[in-house]
Amino acid sequence: MEKVVWDLKSQLEKFDATEKVFDCMVAEFLLCDGRYIPQEDKALIDYKVASLEELAQKQKERLEELPKLKKLYYDIELPLVLILGQMEKNGIMLDTQCLGKVGLELDKAISEIEDKIKKEIGVDINLNSSIQIGNFLAEKVSVPLSKTKTGRYATNEQEISQFAKDFPIVADLLIYRELSKLRSTYVASLIDKVDGQGRVHTSYNQVAVSTGRLSSANPNLQNIPVTSEFGQKIKSCFVASPGHVLLSFDYSQQELRILAHLTGEERLIEAFIHAQDVHKTTATQLFHVSYEDVTKDQRSVAKTINFGIIYGMSSFGMSQGLTIPVDEAQAFIDTFYATYPKIRSFYDHYLKQGQIDGYVETLLGRRRTVFAYPGQKFIDNSMRRVLMNYPIQGTAADLMKKAMVDIDREILQKNKDVKLLLQIHDDLVFEVSHDPKIYSPLMQQIKDLMCGVYKLSVPIEVDVKMGKNWGEMGKVSS
């Protein structure tokens, strides 16, 4: 007999793994078209039912009307509940002594940058006070900050980072904030979260992000900055258990590959089929140079534009990201669409159809409403940016979840010595025995399952890394 619950993961200990359970919360996450899901009592009211059993019956009827969502629920989202529960139970080993040393290094770096800033300022102000910092930057240094609705100067990272190049004090302040955040978020709090076996257990939420991406909390291990020196040092404090090694499997340029598949853009497809550097390919058109002559800076600009298009970035946003005039950024965007005309055609049709249907969807059928309010007939600019990213990031999230379910079925359930520890968006981290006879065939198995998760018009590639700690993993050649 099938049992019905609201939020299965929070009560997994009550059920046997073989029991059939229907999770109303996860079902509602798919059925609410990207809106915030209601609490259990509100869901009962919305569906005009008195019990979870009645709610489940109504949800099943709706899923029957939407075959793609039904398949997404039963084949991916429901099995994933058990997988995430096991991952949370597994946790990952934390070397607290290593983290303590990183904490001391951070304290020193924070103190040094704090002293530097205060010498530059020349007056005693609280660096953690947004009001004092805003007043000083705007009135004493003439940084052209905008104001919030309350009349105060805006000092959030997005606002002030655009002035870092012209005002060294701003660049130093951003460094101070990043170091302070790392100290409080990942050093001061992590040691308190270690269990008796020396492991830290993050919590995963599969119903928080409309694109279907997982979020991580308490602690959030998805937000450790990968390009930061101290971010890497903190990651290096997460280690494999004695006699084991960590294996990382990271989808390579997965969102751009999905973009190529969805749009059918031949030039992009050809670049992936022939294993070319897609950012260099774009740079050849932006700067009118040969593939071999693309410079590092030109590739960097092309990379920003490639991903900027995926995320619906405007010419203004791109001008800020590249620190170039708006008209120059717009020229780059125009050249991009001229180079890849099917991408513009795809988005034009996709947004027009979304306006007609009232929703858009991913490759596997996950839906998102396009109107924030009842009665809306047109997609506004802020929603347009969100929607441009949705089919790409949403499809990437769906395929990653499917890969996790496939790996669980084919490997984890058959081999209890292999543990899936982390999912960092496009990356899975496992802990396995440090025995080549064990990990070598496993590496190929996992990679094959991830690459074969869905038949795209371009090859799916996965980068494999191995190491004793999470921050220092070496690439493994296939």
Side-chain angles (χ1 to χ4, degrees):
M1 179 180 176
E2 183 182 61
K3 296 183 179 179
V4 176
V5 299
W6 181 273
D7 189 7
L8 172 59
K9 186 157 71 67
S10 68
Q11 35 190 321
L12 279 174
E13 70 281 353
K14 297 179 184 177
F15 300 97
D16 183 274
T18 60
E19 286 185 272
K20 287 188 69 177
V21 184
F22 188 89
D23 189 328
C24 292
M25 183 181 73
V26 172
E28 190 59 23
F29 176 57
L30 291 176
L31 291 168
C32 70
D33 291 350
R35 300 180 182 90
Y36 288 111
I37 59 170
Q39 296 295 318
E40 178 182 347
D41 54 353
K42 179 70 164 54
L44 294 174
I45 293 171
D46 290 346
Y47 277 83
K48 298 181 174 61
V49 294
S51 68
L52 283 177
E53 286 72 22
E54 291 176 279
L55 174 61
Q57 186 56 42
K58 293 272 190 181
Q59 290 175 325
K60 288 176 184 177
E61 290 170 5
R62 288 193 60 197
L63 288 172
E64 285 297 331
E65 297 168 1
L66 302 165
K68 279 187 172 182
L69 282 188
K70 178 183 176 183
K71 184 174 178 60
L72 198 56
Y73 173 77
Y74 283 106
D75 292 356
I76 296 178
E77 292 289 354
L78 188 59
L80 191 71
V81 175
L82 302 181
I83 297 168
L84 295 178
Q86 186 59 53
M87 288 170 65
E88 293 178 1
K89 187 177 178 181
N90 290 339
I92 184 169
M93 186 80 75
L94 179 68
D95 184 336
T96 54
Q97 285 189 331
C98 174
L99 189 61
K101 291 177 182 176
V102 174
L104 292 176
E105 290 181 43
L106 267 170
D107 287 340
K108 182 181 178 184
I110 291 169
S111 178
E112 288 175 352
I113 194 70
E114 189 173 16
D115 288 345
K116 182 184 178 187
I117 292 171
K118 288 186 174 180
K119 283 179 183 176
E120 291 173 346
I121 290 175
V123 293
D124 186 25
I125 67 172
N126 182 356
L127 297 184
N128 298 311
S129 167
S130 59
I131 296 176
Q132 292 183 35
I133 285 295
N135 290 341
F136 177 81
L137 292 178
E139 297 168 8
K140 301 296 184 182
V141 191
S142 299
V143 179
L145 300 177
S146 60
K147 286 192 174 183
T148 65
K149 292 178 181 178
T150 60
R152 296 173 178 172
Y153 291 109
T155 61
N156 58 67
E157 184 177 341
Q158 185 177 357
E159 171 66 26
I160 68 172
S161 60
Q162 60 185 307
F163 306 114
K165 188 176 180 181
D166 298 322
F167 297 90
I169 184 70
V170 173
D172 289 339
L173 184 62
L174 289 170
I175 293 171
Y176 170 79
R177 286 183 176 179
E178 181 187 1
L179 296 178
S180 298
K181 184 178 179 181
L182 284 173
R183 182 72 174 85
S184 61
T185 306
Y186 294 108
V187 178
S189 65
L190 270 179
I191 293 175
D192 295 334
K193 293 180 170 64
V194 177
D195 69 7
Q197 283 70 50
R199 303 181 83 87
V200 171
H201 305 264
T202 187
S203 297
Y204 286 103
N205 191 339
Q206 71 187 97
V207 300
V209 186
S210 65
T211 59
R213 284 182 108 176
L214 298 178
S215 65
S216 160
N218 195 34
N220 182 350
L221 297 184
Q222 294 180 329
N223 268 13
I224 303 175
V226 294
T227 57
S228 158
E229 175 193 354
F230 277 104
Q232 285 300 110
K233 286 184 177 183
I234 290 170
K235 285 181 67 176
S236 295
C237 298
F238 292 93
V239 300
S241 303
H244 292 73
V245 67
L246 299 180
L247 291 176
S248 162
F249 296 80
D250 188 5
Y251 276 120
S252 172
Q253 298 183 326
Q254 184 75 329
E255 292 190 348
L256 285 172
R257 293 173 193 273
I258 290 167
L259 178 69
H261 176 81
L262 290 177
T263 62
E265 178 50 64
E266 289 92 349
R267 186 170 289 184
L268 205 52
I269 290 171
E270 284 294 310
F272 280 121
I273 288 176
H274 293 104
Q276 291 181 334
D277 183 323
V278 175
H279 302 313
K280 287 180 70 174
T281 300
T282 298
T284 62
Q285 303 302 311
L286 295 176
F287 299 102
H288 308 290
V289 296
S290 68
Y291 184 86
E292 294 74 18
D293 292 333
V294 171
T295 66
K296 185 177 179 181
D297 287 343
Q298 289 171 337
R299 182 187 183 278
S300 179
V301 170
K303 182 177 180 180
T304 299
I305 293 168
N306 279 340
F307 286 113
I309 296 296
I310 289 177
Y311 289 97
M313 192 182 290
S314 66
S315 57
F316 176 73
M318 198 165 286
S319 72
Q320 289 184 312
L322 294 172
T323 60
I324 59 175
V326 174
D327 57 348
E328 190 176 332
Q330 185 60 53
F332 277 145
I333 293 173
D334 292 342
T335 302
F336 176 92
Y337 281 125
T339 302
Y340 305 123
K342 285 195 173 180
I343 293 179
R344 184 186 287 278
S345 299
F346 166 79
Y347 277 120
D348 287 346
H349 173 75
Y350 160 80
L351 291 170
K352 189 178 295 182
Q353 192 62 46
Q355 198 160 282
I356 294 169
D357 297 334
Y359 67 87
V360 293
E361 63 179 22
T362 66
L363 195 58
L364 298 192
R366 185 183 303 276
R367 291 185 172 192
R368 183 191 170 105
T369 182
V370 304
F371 300 123
Y373 309 103
Q376 268 188 288
K377 294 182 179 179
F378 300 101
I379 299 170
D380 59 34
N381 286 334
S382 60
M383 179 58 80
R384 184 177 184 276
R385 287 193 293 273
V386 171
L387 295 178
M388 284 184 72
N389 175 238
Y390 185 78
I392 311 299
Q393 188 181 106
T395 296
D398 290 346
L399 296 188
M400 171 55 93
K401 286 180 173 180
K402 183 178 184 303
M404 292 169 72
V405 172
D406 292 346
I407 291 167
D408 180 70
R409 182 185 61 248
E410 299 298 327
I411 297 175
L412 302 182
Q413 291 183 24
K414 300 174 182 178
N415 191 338
K416 298 304 178 184
D417 293 330
V418 184
K419 289 183 170 63
L420 175 56
L421 306 186
L422 302 172
Q423 192 255 49
I424 313 294
H425 304 313
D426 288 337
D427 188 13
L428 295 178
V429 179
F430 297 81
E431 184 176 72
V432 301
S433 169
H434 196 189
D435 180 348
K437 293 180 181 177
I438 295 176
Y439 70 68
S440 289
L442 280 171
M443 278 195 294
Q444 194 58 51
Q445 263 187 291
I446 294 171
K447 184 174 180 179
D448 288 346
L449 285 168
M450 290 180 71
C451 290
V453 68
Y454 193 93
K455 181 66 175 174
L456 297 180
S457 56
V458 298
I460 294 177
E461 295 291 339
V462 172
D463 295 327
V464 185
K465 293 182 180 178
M466 180 173 66
K468 291 295 289 181
N469 70 64
W470 187 22
E472 299 172 349
M473 304 182 78
K475 194 166 183 178
V476 179
S477 57
S478 53

